[in-house]
């Protein structure tokens, strides 16, 4: 069962990392001390990999040390080159990981209702240099998977979904991370399921899974045998111990978030001065974020100030729009993404958020946004 740790009296942030019960964690730590094996594909990493694959209903899941490396390993495994079409509305790692691997991000603007990449704009961005599309299921809201699939099949380009925020989301009754050539997850402390830092890649094909297993361990295939150029992206046993504990509680964590999410939804669904994310009707929700889009950036700043003055810290996810990052060469404009990025605010949502405090958040937004 979820036993939310005690609410901090002073400051309410957009999220709060869930910490598992100490007694349960201790049992795993005891195992680590007993074996003396603390990293390098140890038994807890193995156990977590198996349990996650089962929980998520996927076949080829590789655990890694964070979600950003999950993206980079996916690009390497699938041999991406040249240009990758991606969304300007995401966390910075979606773009920065491409550039770190010397791939060129080509931005295709979003649908302003769903906040996800618009397939029409993917089509317009394809060139002879395009090797892949990197869409994001923004706030866990599933992309237009069928349209993206159709385009990528026609032009023979790969699809990697940044599903960092879509843990546990189902698309038409099957796991959304089964779509595309690969999907990546982040298990950072701010995500619903976490291992403090961590992540995973799910591949459609077994050969890619096997290749990634080598890549994350320096390309070492056995004693005194280095097969390919690799890197170090291994998850360690302590990370896996946290994950194994939290996986036991994940259904309760989501149920708690759902209650908070629904209360926000009922409070804001008919508001005149703000809009909510349009959700994909074919997808389930993991209730990780509650974004509000205001009419102007000035409205947003007023509400943010009003909440901040009560020690409540919502976050501007995502700002700035990634096409405006200062290290992007030849920036293009992405009208929808820039407009949403300037007006969107995510409200606090996490297990243990006190209902009086939630009501205070709701009242402050409504009163300030008249
Ligand atoms: C969190 C996140 C990442 C990065 O994951 P880390 O585990 O923090 O490296 C990448 N993309 C998106 C959309 C994210 O939300």
């Amino acid at each position: 069962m979820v036993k939310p740790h005690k609410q901090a009296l002073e400051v309410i942030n957009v999220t709060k990392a869930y910490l598992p019960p100490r007694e349960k964690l201790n049992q795993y730590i005891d195992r680590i001390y007993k074996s003396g094996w603390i990293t390098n594909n140890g038994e807890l990493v193995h156990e977590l990999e198996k349990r996650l694959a089962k929980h998520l209903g996927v076949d080829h899941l590789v655990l890694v040390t964070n979600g950003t490396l999950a993206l980079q390993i996916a690009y390497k495994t699938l041999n991406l080159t040249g240009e990758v079409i991606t969304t300007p509305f995401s966390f910075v790692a979606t773009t920065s990981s491409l550039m770190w691997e010397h791939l060129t991000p080509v931005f295709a603007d979003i649908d302003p209702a769903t906040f996800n990449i618009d397939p029409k704009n993917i089509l317009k961005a394809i060139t002879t240099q395009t090797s892949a599309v990197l869409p994001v299921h923004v706030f866990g809201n599933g992309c237009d998977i069928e349209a993206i699939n159709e385009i990528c099949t026609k032009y023979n380009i790969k699809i990697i979904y940044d599903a960092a925020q879509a843990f546990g989301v189902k698309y038409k009754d099957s796991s959304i991370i089964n779509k595309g050539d690969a999907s990546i997850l982040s298990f950072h402390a701010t995500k619903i399921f976490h291992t403090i830092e961590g992540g995973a890649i799910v591949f459609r094909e077994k050969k890619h899974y096997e290749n990634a297993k080598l890549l994350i361990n320096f390309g070492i295939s056995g004693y005194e045998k280095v097969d390919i150029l690799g890197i170090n992206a291994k998850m360690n046993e302590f990370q896996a111990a946290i994950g194994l504990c939290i996986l036991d509680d994940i259904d309760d964590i989501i149920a708690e978030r759902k209650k908070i999410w629904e209360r926000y939804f009922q409070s804001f669904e008919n508001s005149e001065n703000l809009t909510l994310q349009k959700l994909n009707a074919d997808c389930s929700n993991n209730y990780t974020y509650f974004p509000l889009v205001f009419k102007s950036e000035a409205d947003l700043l007023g509400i943010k100030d009003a909440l901040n003055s009560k020690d409540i810290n919502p976050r501007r996810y995502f700002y700035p729009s990634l096409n405006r990052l200062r290290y992007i060469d030849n920036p293009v404009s992405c009208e929808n993404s820039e407009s949403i990025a300037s007006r969107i605010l995510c409200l606090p949502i996490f297990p243990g958020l006190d209902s009086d405090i939630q009501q205070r958040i709701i009242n402050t937004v409504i009163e300030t946004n008249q």
Side-chain angles (χ1 to χ4, degrees):
M1 255 315 281
V2 179
K3 280 210 209 87
H5 33 301
K6 215 159 163 43
Q7 185 96 43
L9 278 175
E10 55 285 6
V11 178
I12 303 296
N13 292 322
V14 70
T15 193
K16 182 170 185 174
Y18 177 76
L19 284 169
R22 279 291 282 279
E23 311 73 51
K24 182 176 282 184
L25 181 61
N26 285 346
Q27 288 173 12
Y28 285 109
I29 305 287
D30 286 346
R31 274 172 65 185
I32 297 174
Y33 269 72
K34 210 162 160 199
S35 71
W37 191 293
I38 62 178
T39 186
N40 286 13
N41 204 19
E43 73 178 25
L44 297 186
V45 164
H46 215 68
E47 201 172 312
L48 182 61
E49 210 159 84
K50 274 193 15 210
R51 278 190 57 197
L52 273 175
K54 183 154 182 269
H55 179 86
L56 296 168
V58 299
D59 289 329
H60 309 124
L61 180 143
V62 185
L63 287 174
V64 291
T65 202
N66 63 57
T68 305
L69 272 165
L71 286 166
Q72 290 170 239
I73 300 287
Y75 309 153
K76 287 279 192 206
T77 305
L78 296 169
N79 282 319
L80 303 197
T81 57
E83 297 174 359
V84 176
I85 299 170
T86 187
T87 174
F89 190 70
S90 182
F91 181 60
V92 62
T94 311
T95 289
S96 62
S97 60
L98 288 171
M99 296 184 69
W100 198 263
E101 293 296 341
H102 304 288
L103 295 161
T104 306
V106 173
F107 296 104
D109 205 0
I110 57 167
D111 174 332
T114 64
F115 314 154
N116 285 332
I117 196 165
D118 185 334
K120 287 197 300 292
N121 297 327
I122 295 179
L123 203 53
K124 286 188 213 150
I126 293 174
T127 72
T128 53
Q129 301 302 305
T130 309
S131 64
V133 177
L134 174 67
V136 177
H137 303 302
V138 174
F139 305 134
N141 188 33
C143 291
D144 189 344
I145 285 168
E146 262 133 53
I148 293 171
N149 211 26
E150 200 174 306
I151 293 167
C152 292
T153 307
K154 183 167 171 201
Y155 289 89
N156 194 23
I157 48 189
K158 302 205 167 87
I159 310 172
I160 297 176
Y161 282 107
D162 180 340
Q165 307 180 346
F167 184 91
V169 170
K170 295 235 162 91
Y171 174 76
K172 295 186 174 170
D173 291 328
S174 121
S175 189
I176 199 163
I177 56 175
N178 271 322
K179 303 296 167 188
D181 296 282
S183 291
I184 74 93
L185 294 166
S186 164
F187 304 150
H188 183 257
T190 52
K191 308 296 204 277
I192 46 166
F193 171 81
H194 79 88
T195 57
I196 308 174
E197 295 273 358
I201 321 158
V202 171
F203 291 102
R204 187 172 56 213
E205 291 188 41
K206 188 162 182 220
K207 68 172 189 208
H208 291 142
Y209 161 85
E210 282 165 355
N211 189 252
K213 282 275 199 183
L214 280 179
L215 285 183
I216 67 169
N217 188 32
F218 313 98
I220 295 174
S221 63
Y223 287 111
E224 293 151 21
K225 204 159 171 288
V226 182
D227 275 359
I228 53 172
L229 174 67
I231 187 84
N232 181 6
K234 302 184 302 294
M235 180 178 276
N236 70 54
E237 291 292 276
F238 288 84
Q239 288 172 289
I242 293 276
L244 284 162
C245 293
I246 295 181
L247 195 53
D248 285 341
D249 296 341
I250 194 68
D251 291 343
D252 296 325
I253 291 171
I254 292 173
E256 284 232 19
R257 286 177 164 280
K258 181 169 193 263
K259 273 192 252 160
I260 298 166
W261 192 97
E262 283 176 343
R263 184 148 171 226
Y264 278 139
F265 184 79
Q266 282 150 17
S267 307
F268 296 122
E269 65 175 327
N270 297 318
S271 296
E272 279 180 15
N273 294 328
L274 56 83
T275 49
L276 304 181
Q277 183 179 27
K278 183 180 169 202
L279 300 178
N280 185 333
D282 288 325
C283 287
S284 65
N285 193 338
N286 64 11
Y287 307 101
T288 305
Y289 299 87
F290 201 92
L292 298 176
V293 179
F294 298 101
K295 287 197 162 155
S296 68
E297 187 167 24
D299 285 0
L300 173 145
L301 293 173
I303 282 152
K304 186 167 172 275
D305 281 350
L307 289 167
N308 287 160
S309 73
K310 296 178 179 169
D311 283 335
I312 293 160
N313 298 324
R315 284 292 294 271
R316 297 186 70 175
Y317 289 148
F318 300 104
Y319 180 85
S321 183
L322 300 178
N323 56 308
R324 293 295 173 198
L325 287 169
R326 37 194 307 198
Y327 46 77
I328 298 287
D329 297 329
N330 312 316
V332 292
S333 76
C334 292
E335 211 176 302
N336 294 339
S337 176
E338 287 170 51
S339 169
I340 296 292
S342 71
R343 296 182 288 124
I344 195 165
L345 197 61
C346 284
L347 297 181
I349 180 167
F350 52 85
L353 177 66
D354 185 86
S355 64
D356 291 345
I357 293 175
Q358 190 185 6
Q359 196 57 51
R360 202 182 314 154
I361 295 169
I362 293 166
N363 295 345
T364 306
V365 171
I366 290 172
E367 285 156 19
T368 317
N369 196 39
Q370 300 287 357

